Amino acid sequence: MGLIARTRAENAKSIQMNNMISYPQRNQQNRLWLKGAASVVAVFFLALPGLARAQQIVRIPADQPNLQQAIGAVPDGGIIEFAAGTYAAPAGGFTIYDLPSPKAFTVRAVAGAAVTLTGNGSSDILRFAPSSFAAARPVTFEGITFANAVSNSNFIGGAMTLVNCEVSFVSCVFQNNAANASSTGGGAQWIDSSIISFRSCTWSNNSSPNYGGGMVVFNSRVYVRDCRFSANRVNLPGHKSNSIGGAIFVSSSASGKVFTRATLQVANSTFENNQAGYVGGAIYTLGEYQDPADVPTVDLVVSNSVFNGNLARRDASVPAAGSQGGGALHLEDQTTAKFQNCRFNNNAAQQGGAISSYRATADFQGCIFRGNQATGTGFDEGMGGTIIALSSDNPDSSTNFGKINRPSVVLTMTDSLIQGTPGSLSAREGGGILAAGDFNAPAVPGSPDFNRAVVRLTRVVLADLSVAGAGGTPGTGGALKGDFMVLTMDNSIIENCTATDYGAALNFNRRCGVSITNSTLANNDAGLLGGGIAMFGGDLKIDHSNLVGNRITGAGNGAAITTSAPDPMTGLIQNCVLSLNSGGATIYDGDGNNPPFNQLTYGSNQIYPGDNTAFLSDVAGPQTVDQLNALNIPRSDKSTTKKAPTPNTVPGAAPAVGALLILPPTVLASGGPGETVPIAPVLGYASSGGTPIVDGATQRANAAVIGPVSGSAHTLGVGGSTYNTTPPSGVAANISTRLALGTGEQVLIGGFIIQGPSPKRVIIRGTGPSLPGVTGALRDPYLELHDAASTLATNDNWRRTNIGGILQSSQAVDIIATTIPPSNDLEAAIVATLNPGSYTAVLRGADGGAGIGLMEIYDLDASPISRLANISTRGLVQTLDNVMIGGFIIVGGNNNTTTVIRALGPSLTAFGISGALPDPVLEVHDANGGVTINDDWGLGPDAAAIQAKGLAPGNPAESALLSSGLPPGPYTAIVRGKNTIGVGLVEVYQLQ
C-alpha cells in the first residue's frame, strides 16, 4: 500500500510540473495578449451605475454587422440581440478588454432563433479579459451556441477565455470545441480570477489533450445549475499521459490573485460519458497547499446531480503513467468537497471506480452509488470499487524532505448507499471503499492518529459488493479495506458482500483504529478468513452490533471475526449478537506466545451456537462460550490476557435481529437533466433468526436492498421484533416578512438562528419596488446583516456590492446564480455562508424613506443537516395592508413538521421598546386556504402544549399557535392589532 500511495503522490506532482505552466508565467502571457489587443478596445457609453433603466437593443446584423461592433455600440444595461444564423469569429476571437467606461450588457438570441457563434475549426470565439477585476461589469449570454472553436495557445480556452470578469450564461450550448495547446486545457472555457454562472447549459464533445475537456477553473467562483456535460474528453489519441478532468478541472493558487481559492458549485446537473486519460473522468480538483492547512483552497459543492458512465481510462496510443483513478471525480490536497443527494452509476477506473481522493476532505450526504467498478489486475489496479482515499506523501522538496506533515485524507458518508452489481466484480481490494493513511510522514508528538486516513460512516448501507484476487494478490475487503486508518461506523449495514480471501465485509491492516456501533454485518462470504471482519493489528471496538449469517466458503476460520497481531491487537467487542455464522469458528484469534499479542477481548455478547465452534485461538485452541468466559492466556512477558472481561451468553435459539435504513431519508424533488423526478429512496434491510417482513410483505432474502419506496415511515418485522425508519421533518427553506417600514424603531428587524453542526449558505433580500400590486412600496431598500458583535455586510443596490465585512468581492453574479435575484436594480441582496449561531437582518429605506418592504431569507443548501430555526421579525404593525405578514416554506418531511408561531407586543416593553403593540392577534394560513386564529394564547387549545415546550408568551394578551403534522408547502402568518397599532414581533419556532 505504501508503494501504491507513493506512486499516486509522484503522479500528482508530475501533473503539476508537466501539465501546467507556473502561475507567474500564465499571468505574464495573459498580459502579453491583453496588451496586443488594445487596438480593438471599443469606446463604451456611460450610464448611471446601479439604477434601473431602459434597455436599448442593438440588433445583429440589422444595426451592427458583428458582435465586436455591437459591443462598442451597446449602452450600459443594454442588449445585443442576434437574428437566427451562424456567425464566424475573427482570428483571435471577439474581445472585451479594458474599456474607458465599463458597462453591463446582455448578448442573446432573438426569441425562438437558433444562433451559433463558430470558430470554424480554426479560431477561438471570445476573450473577455480586462486587466483587473474592477475594470469590468457583469455580462450575460442567453441562448447562444458556441461551436467548432479551436485554440492552439496556452491559457486560451478552445471556445472562450474569461479572466478578471463576471459573466452569466443561460441556456447556452458548448459543443465540439478543443483546446489543443502544448500545456494547458479548457476545451470550451478557460476561467481565471472570475465569477461565472452557468444555468441550463450543455457541454458536449469538447476536448483537450491536457486537462479540462469542458472547462478549466483557476482561482474563480463558478456556479453550474441545471446543466449537462456529455462526452467531453481529455483522452483522445495522443493525449498527455497524465490528462485529467474530462469535463471540468479546478485548481487554486495564492500568487497575486483576486481570489486565493477556487469554488465550484454544481446543482441539478448531469455528467455522463466524460473521460480522462489519467484521473477524474468528469471532474478533477487540485487545492494547492497554503497555510493554514485546514482551510480549503478549493471548495467543491455538488447537489442533486448524477454521474453516469464516466471513465478514467488512457487511450491505447498513450503509455501508462500510473493507474487511472476516479472514474467520475478526483479530489486532491487542500480540497474540501461536499456531495448532497447525488447519484453515481456505472463509473469506472483502475482505482476508485467513482471517486479517488488524495489527501482531500470529502463529505457525502444522501448519495447513491451503484455499479461502479475498479478494473484491472495489475499491482496497483482494481482498488476501491467505488471510492479510493489515499494519503501517503513523499519526503521530497514539496514536503521540505519530510519536515512538512500534511493532513491525511478524510471521508465522511451519511444516509447513503454503496451497491455493487450482483454477479459482477467490484474490485480486487475494497469493493466499496479503500482508504489508507500516510506511513511516510513523521509522527506528530501526542497525536498518533494524525497521519491515519479518517473514514466516518453513519446510516450507510454497503451491499452486493464483490472482490476477487488476481496476479498473486488476494481479494480482500469485500465492502471496505483500510490500511493505517481510523474508521467510525454507526447505525450502518454491510450485507451480501464477498471476498475470495479475507474480510468479506471489512478488512484492516497496519494499526487501524476501528469503532463500530449499532451496526449489522449480514450474509457476507469470505473464502479464507473473516466472513465479517478480518483485522491484522490495531484496535477494534464493536458495541451493540450484529454479525449474523456470515460465512467462510473455503478452508478457513473466523466466520464472523478474524484477528491477528503482526502489530499489537487490542479492543473490546461487547453487547453484540454473533449468530448463525458458518464455515469455521465464529471467532478466530490469530495469536502467539511472543509479542505482539492479540489482546482483543469479548464481553456481554450473545454467541450462537455456543459449542466449540464459537471461538478458536492459536494459543488456546477451540473454545466453547463457557470456556471463552473463563479463558486467561498467560504471556511470555508475564502478563495475562483475560479474554472475557464480562461473561458472554448462549441464547437457546438464534436471536431475532434486524436493521432497516431508508436512503436517502426523503423523496428528492429534483435531480439532473434527464432524470425522472421525484426520485424515490430505497430500503436496506438485514435480518437473522426469523423471516423478514417489510411493510407487511414477506421477503425471500434475509438481507437486501429494495425499492423504490415512499418517503414515509417503514417497518421491518423479524421474529416478533419490529424495526422502524422515521422520516426527517421538513425544514424552513424560505422565511419572509412584509411590513410598512418607517425610521428608528419602525424599521424591519429580522432575527434568525442557524442551528446545526455546519455553516449554511443563504441569500437575504430586501425588496420594495417590485412588490406586485402594493401601493406605497419602499422605493429604495437598504439591507444590513449583523451577528452579536458586528455588522457583517450591507447592501443598497444588489448589482453593486458594498465591499467590507464578509463581502470581499463583487456579488452580482453570485446573486444571479441563486436563480432568485431581485427583479429591480434598486433592491438589495446579500449572499453569505454563515456559521451556526444567531443573526439579525435589518431592512430600512436607503434614503430614510418609508414604505412597504419585504425581507426574505432563502436557504441555498441542499442539505438539511444545519437549518434555519427560531425565526423572528420585529416592526411597526398598523392596519389594512400595513399589518405584519410573515411567510415560511417547509420543504421535505412527510407531514411530520411541528412549529410554534408567536405574536408578541406587551412583553417587548421589558426590552426598552416604546409603543409596543398592546394586543396582538395572530392568523396562520396554509396553501389550501385553511386559517387558524388566536388572540390570547392562554385561551387557545394549544396552551398547555405551548407551555410544556417552554414557549409560552410573557403576557396573556399575546398570541401563539402550535401546529403539528404540517405537510411541505408555504405558510403565512399575519399579525395585526386588536383595534390598535404598535411595534410587534412575530416568531416561528421549528420544533421537529
Side-chain angles (χ1 to χ4, degrees):
M1 286 299 300
L3 177 60
I4 295 168
R6 285 197 299 274
T7 301
R8 170 66 71 220
E10 290 161 1
N11 288 334
K13 182 180 178 183
S14 173
I15 292 169
Q16 298 174 54
M17 294 180 63
N18 300 330
N19 213 28
M20 293 186 286
I21 296 175
S22 70
Y23 283 90
Q25 287 174 298
R26 177 157 52 84
N27 291 335
Q28 178 63 21
Q29 184 153 343
N30 286 340
R31 285 193 293 270
L32 288 175
W33 60 256
L34 285 169
K35 182 178 179 181
S39 61
V40 299
V41 173
V43 176
F44 277 26
F45 295 92
L46 179 65
L48 292 175
L51 300 179
R53 51 193 170 272
Q55 294 177 319
Q56 179 175 323
I57 298 178
V58 177
R59 297 170 178 82
I60 301 175
D63 301 325
Q64 297 293 337
N66 58 52
L67 179 59
Q68 194 67 60
Q69 290 180 269
I71 290 171
V74 70
D76 187 17
I79 296 171
I80 297 172
E81 191 170 79
F82 279 95
T86 299
Y87 300 83
F94 300 110
T95 57
I96 309 172
Y97 296 133
D98 282 359
L99 306 165
S101 300
K103 55 185 174 182
F105 57 91
T106 296
V107 181
R108 71 186 187 194
V110 70
V115 174
T116 298
L117 300 184
T118 178
N120 280 333
S122 60
S123 175
D124 56 313
I125 296 172
L126 174 69
R127 301 182 188 184
F128 187 2
S131 60
S132 70
F133 189 77
R137 297 282 310 284
V139 173
T140 299
F141 291 86
E142 297 179 0
I144 307 292
T145 295
F146 299 84
N148 304 313
V150 174
S151 167
N152 296 309
S153 301
N154 288 323
F155 315 113
I156 304 296
M160 60 184 62
T161 302
L162 307 170
V163 179
N164 294 334
C165 61
E166 298 177 83
V167 188
S168 297
F169 295 90
V170 180
S171 301
C172 290
V173 174
F174 311 98
Q175 64 185 27
N176 303 323
N177 303 293
N180 293 329
S182 61
S183 299
T184 64
Q189 288 94 16
W190 177 276
I191 300 171
D192 192 350
S193 302
S194 296
I195 307 175
I196 312 295
S197 171
F198 298 96
R199 185 177 184 192
S200 302
C201 295
T202 299
W203 288 254
S204 62
N205 299 303
N206 302 287
S207 66
S208 170
N210 302 313
Y211 55 92
M215 73 170 78
V216 167
V217 178
F218 278 112
N219 291 82
S220 298
R221 295 201 299 268
V222 174
Y223 303 93
V224 174
R225 178 181 288 271
D226 302 317
C227 292
R228 192 168 202 146
F229 293 79
S230 178
N232 302 284
R233 298 177 62 183
V234 292
N235 66 345
L236 295 172
H239 65 84
K240 287 287 182 67
S241 60
N242 51 6
S243 63
I244 49 185
I248 302 177
F249 172 99
V250 185
S251 189
S252 62
S253 171
S255 58
K257 290 292 164 182
V258 176
F259 309 110
T260 56
R261 63 200 288 177
T263 298
L264 174 64
Q265 294 194 6
V266 179
N268 299 96
S269 295
T270 295
F271 295 80
E272 55 191 2
N273 303 320
N274 302 285
Q275 298 185 26
Y278 182 42
V279 295
I283 299 176
Y284 173 96
T285 69
L286 172 62
E288 292 198 357
Y289 278 109
Q290 303 172 24
D291 288 328
D294 59 347
V295 175
T297 57
V298 168
D299 286 298
L300 174 65
V301 179
V302 186
S303 62
N304 297 304
S305 296
V306 60
F307 295 80
N308 288 335
N310 302 285
L311 299 175
R313 181 175 63 191
R314 66 182 176 87
D315 185 77
S317 65
V318 178
S323 294
Q324 291 93 65
L329 299 106
H330 176 82
L331 315 169
E332 190 158 325
D333 288 349
Q334 219 163 322
T335 293
T336 293
K338 295 182 180 180
F339 300 88
Q340 300 158 341
N341 301 330
C342 293
R343 289 148 298 286
F344 299 81
N345 303 311
N346 303 314
N347 304 284
Q350 292 174 331
Q351 290 188 357
I355 312 287
S356 60
S357 181
Y358 180 52
R359 301 185 300 208
T361 297
D363 182 14
F364 297 88
Q365 301 169 12
C367 294
I368 303 294
F369 298 84
R370 280 180 158 158
N372 302 285
Q373 291 181 293
T375 60
T377 59
F379 171 68
D380 58 351
E381 298 173 354
M383 304 174 66
T386 295
I387 299 173
I388 189 168
L390 301 179
S391 310
S392 198
D393 216 331
N394 289 318
D396 56 20
S397 58
S398 69
T399 61
N400 194 16
F401 300 96
K403 296 180 180 179
I404 299 174
N405 194 6
R406 292 166 173 165
S408 290
V409 71
V410 177
L411 171 65
T412 303
M413 187 170 290
T414 308
D415 294 317
S416 297
L417 168 71
I418 297 179
Q419 186 176 25
T421 301
S424 297
L425 283 179
S426 305
R428 185 168 55 96
E429 298 180 81
I433 299 171
L434 188 148
D438 183 5
F439 264 107
N440 294 331
V444 176
S447 181
D449 290 342
F450 183 84
N451 295 311
R452 293 177 178 172
V454 176
V455 178
R456 307 182 187 100
L457 305 178
T458 305
R459 297 184 300 278
V460 173
V461 172
L462 296 101
D464 305 314
L465 300 156
S466 178
V467 298
T473 303
T476 57
L480 181 150
K481 179 168 184 174
D483 184 34
F484 194 46
M485 59 97 76
V486 175
L487 171 69
T488 304
M489 185 168 78
D490 181 61
N491 196 17
S492 295
I493 301 172
I494 302 178
E495 60 187 24
N496 303 328
C497 295
T498 65
T500 56
D501 296 278
Y502 312 140
L506 301 168
N507 173 222
F508 304 103
N509 296 332
R510 296 198 295 183
R511 295 160 52 190
C512 290
V514 178
S515 175
I516 299 172
T517 53
N518 306 304
S519 295
T520 297
L521 281 61
N523 290 20
N524 303 291
D525 294 354
L528 297 176
L529 297 171
I533 299 171
M535 185 166 182
F536 307 114
D539 185 73
L540 175 62
K541 294 181 175 66
I542 309 179
D543 194 3
H544 287 93
S545 295
N546 307 310
L547 291 94
V548 294
N550 303 290
R551 292 171 288 269
I552 298 297
T553 59
N557 269 298
I561 301 171
T562 291
T563 58
S564 68
D567 295 310
M569 184 73 226
T570 60
L572 172 63
I573 298 172
Q574 63 180 347
N575 306 312
C576 295
V577 174
L578 292 83
S579 178
L580 297 177
N581 301 285
S582 61
T586 298
I587 301 169
Y588 171 41
D589 267 19
D591 204 352
N593 293 317
N594 297 310
F597 303 121
N598 188 338
Q599 296 177 305
L600 182 64
T601 59
Y602 308 85
S604 303
N605 301 293
Q606 298 181 64
I607 303 176
Y608 183 85
D611 57 19
N612 63 1
T613 65
F615 182 80
L616 174 64
S617 166
D618 285 343
V619 175
Q623 305 279 299
T624 67
V625 171
D626 289 341
Q627 290 172 326
L628 170 62
N629 289 337
L631 183 59
N632 293 286
I633 299 178
R635 304 298 189 181
S636 60
D637 63 358
K638 309 301 182 182
S639 66
T640 299
T641 302
K642 181 176 176 58
K643 296 302 289 187
T646 56
N648 302 283
T649 60
V650 181
V657 298
L660 182 67
L661 289 172
I662 183 169
L663 308 170
T666 187
V667 175
L668 304 179
S670 64
E675 287 194 286
T676 300
V677 295
I679 300 171
V682 298
L683 282 178
Y685 75 89
S687 66
S688 181
T691 300
I693 301 172
V694 177
D695 294 337
T698 301
Q699 304 298 309
R700 290 183 294 177
N702 287 335
V705 175
I706 59 176
V709 298
S710 71
S712 59
H714 296 274
T715 300
L716 167 67
V718 184
S721 298
T722 301
Y723 308 88
N724 300 298
T725 66
T726 302
S729 61
V731 296
N734 160 256
I735 55 177
S736 61
T737 305
R738 198 189 89 175
L739 189 68
L741 282 69
T743 58
E745 291 180 353
Q746 298 178 8
V747 299
L748 195 160
I749 302 174
F752 61 97
I753 294 174
I754 293 177
Q755 190 177 75
S758 57
K760 177 162 289 294
R761 189 166 180 263
V762 299
I763 181 173
I764 306 168
R765 306 194 315 179
T767 59
S770 65
L771 291 176
V774 173
T775 302
L778 188 65
R779 192 187 72 85
D780 189 1
Y782 186 90
L783 189 61
E784 302 172 4
L785 174 63
H786 305 261
D787 64 10
S790 62
T791 300
L792 300 177
T794 64
N795 183 254
D796 184 0
N797 304 317
W798 71 271
R799 291 187 185 273
R800 289 297 181 93
T801 302
N802 296 357
I803 302 298
I806 62 173
L807 306 183
Q808 296 301 307
S809 59
S810 173
Q811 283 207 318
V813 172
D814 304 78
I815 293 169
I816 292 170
T818 68
T819 73
I820 48 173
S823 56
N824 188 290
D825 288 5
L826 287 170
E827 294 174 325
I830 296 169
V831 172
T833 298
L834 302 174
N835 291 321
S838 300
Y839 298 90
T840 302
V842 179
L843 182 65
R844 65 178 79 248
D847 53 3
I852 297 174
L854 175 69
M855 182 167 65
E856 303 164 290
I857 304 170
Y858 289 85
D859 185 347
L860 299 179
D861 285 343
S863 169
I865 287 181
S866 292
R867 63 180 187 175
L868 292 173
N870 298 16
I871 306 143
S872 63
T873 306
R874 194 191 86 191
L876 178 64
V877 178
Q878 301 181 56
T879 58
L880 300 176
D881 286 343
N882 296 333
V883 297
M884 180 185 289
I885 303 175
F888 59 98
I889 298 174
I890 293 175
V891 298
N894 187 49
N895 300 350
N896 62 343
T897 303
T898 299
T899 64
V900 170
I901 303 173
R902 310 196 310 179
L904 308 184
S907 62
L908 297 181
T909 57
F911 300 95
I913 304 300
S914 59
L917 187 65
D919 192 357
V921 177
L922 175 65
E923 300 175 11
V924 177
H925 301 247
D926 63 24
N928 298 317
V931 182
T932 306
I933 301 175
N934 178 255
D935 183 1
D936 300 330
W937 73 270
L939 301 180
D942 304 318
I946 292 170
Q947 192 163 29
K949 294 182 181 297
L951 293 174
N955 188 288
E958 295 172 326
S959 304
L961 289 167
L962 183 147
S963 299
S964 58
L966 292 180
Y971 297 86
T972 302
I974 299 176
V975 179
R976 64 180 78 251
K978 191 174 183 180
N979 303 317
T980 58
I981 65 172
V983 176
L985 177 73
V986 62
E987 299 175 300
V988 179
Y989 293 84
Q990 184 177 337
L991 304 181
Q992 177 182 313

